[in-house]
Amino acid sequence: MNGRKQKTVQDTCLRKDRAALESYAEGQTFLWMTEKGDTNLATGGAKLFEFILSPANLNSAYKQVKRNKGSGGIDGMDTEALRLYLQTHREALLTSLQEGNYKPQPVRRAEIPKDNGSKRQLGIPTVVDRVIQQAITQQLSPIYERQFSPTSYGFRPRRSAHQAVMQCQNNANEGYRYVVDMDLEKFFDNVNQSKLIEVLSRTISDGRVVSLIHKYLRAGVMADGQYEDTPTGVPQGGNISPLLSNVMLNELDKELEKRGHRFVRYADDCMIFCRSKRAAARVLLSITKYIEGKLYLKVNQNKTVVAHIKDVKFLGYGFYFTKDGCKIRIHRKSVEKMKARIRELTCRSNGWGNERRKEALRQYITGWLNYFRLADMKILLERTDEWFRRRLRSLIWKQWKRIRTKLRNLIKLGIPRPKAWEFANTRKGYWRVADSPILSRSITNERLKQAGFIFFSDYYKQVRRVN
């Protein structure tokens, strides 16, 4: 920074009583923005590092990390403590970055379960490192967005999984019905860092930026108190990791475009479309050689398949055909996963109260339907609601426990006393009782709605109208 800007920093630090806009009060941690709020658009040129460390960019990065929240890294600092830390240490932090002395801390390893029962390893950086990574990402994203393929949809602004699924549908309707469903084996763990740095250096001529990114790649992992080196891979969990994955896989996109193939990619999930099964088999063979020989990635031969599009799963969706062409449905595995989650949320032994359970069910059902709203599933959801209501009635019947409680509640809900007494004394199991006419007449669908439960079919009608 030049002398004039340094003076501004010192003045800012000294003027404790300077009036600030309310919007700055929580977010301004590095420097005050200019009165006009002007910022220059970064390029991949020699001054890119200055754009990354600009006041507006760093404060924007801080605010984004604060909004995202998330757990802390190996130092235990969370986003609530981040503002005070940055205000106290910003000069030393900026100096170390400018002089090239900054050393990122190792990421904290965390594991989350995958659908197939295995574990996905995440690397959670410290909140300070997340701010710096976010600042880098904000400047690099506009540069690389101009290079990325129009049929790449993952981790990109104004692009979504829904667009990727609809592009698959369009390809199928135009006669490309056979696909290479490509699976890259442990992609984030197996990225060749030297290759990635080479690809980055083609666009980014500021060596300080490339060097800082390389430091993040080699920062290492702390697992069970033990340090592990990271000579390969891009740790999932960092703010810059999605962008770096797209930069690497953009090489695959460009190769596919050069060969004239239709494809849809969402992160490391890639579908290559062909007109025949034989053509798809040839594409699989040739593109595997490129991926393993040029990008140094590994194709999972057990999960990569050549198939008709109706037989594959993509982002939880499936496809089927009618006389009107290719239609979108929910893949059966996604339905099974949804039912397993509903069973968990309606389990009586989880210790939840009714209000907490209702809220958890509402959040899950609305989120699930918003994601899968593209699918044709009216009949599926009607059947699912029948099953779901039976689970709720079974749960309520269990909660009533005592005979006198069952008798009192059944009478209150309109069941004649003799029938209520007979049913309160039944020895039938909860699940069987839940399907009985007595509970259907007492714990009606409308009463369940009035109690605050939301059902799939009702919310589906709302999201389909919006869509």
Side-chain angles (χ1 to χ4, degrees), residues 106-107 109 189 191 193 214-222 227-235:
V107 298
R109 175 166 290 169
D189 297 332
V191 170
Q193 293 179 2
H214 201 185
K215 287 180 181 179
Y216 276 113
L217 294 175
R218 297 302 305 271
V221 174
M222 292 296 292
Y227 174 82
E228 296 179 11
D229 197 13
T230 51
T232 61
V234 175

Side-chain angles (χ1 to χ4, degrees), residues 80-133:
E80 294 302 317
L82 178 59
R83 180 169 178 258
L84 179 60
Y85 177 89
L86 292 177
Q87 288 177 334
T88 306
H89 297 88
R90 61 185 171 188
E91 293 300 329
L93 179 60
L94 288 171
T95 299
S96 66
L97 286 164
Q98 289 163 347
E99 294 180 353
N101 299 324
Y102 182 77
K103 185 178 180 181
Q105 294 196 57
V107 298
R108 177 172 64 85
R109 175 166 290 169
E111 294 183 337
I112 58 173
K114 296 174 68 175
D115 293 346
N116 58 11
S118 62
K119 300 283 187 178
R120 174 179 283 114
Q121 293 185 344
L122 297 183
I124 302 175
T126 64
V127 288
V128 175
D129 282 327
R130 294 213 289 267
V131 170
I132 300 170
Q133 288 190 26

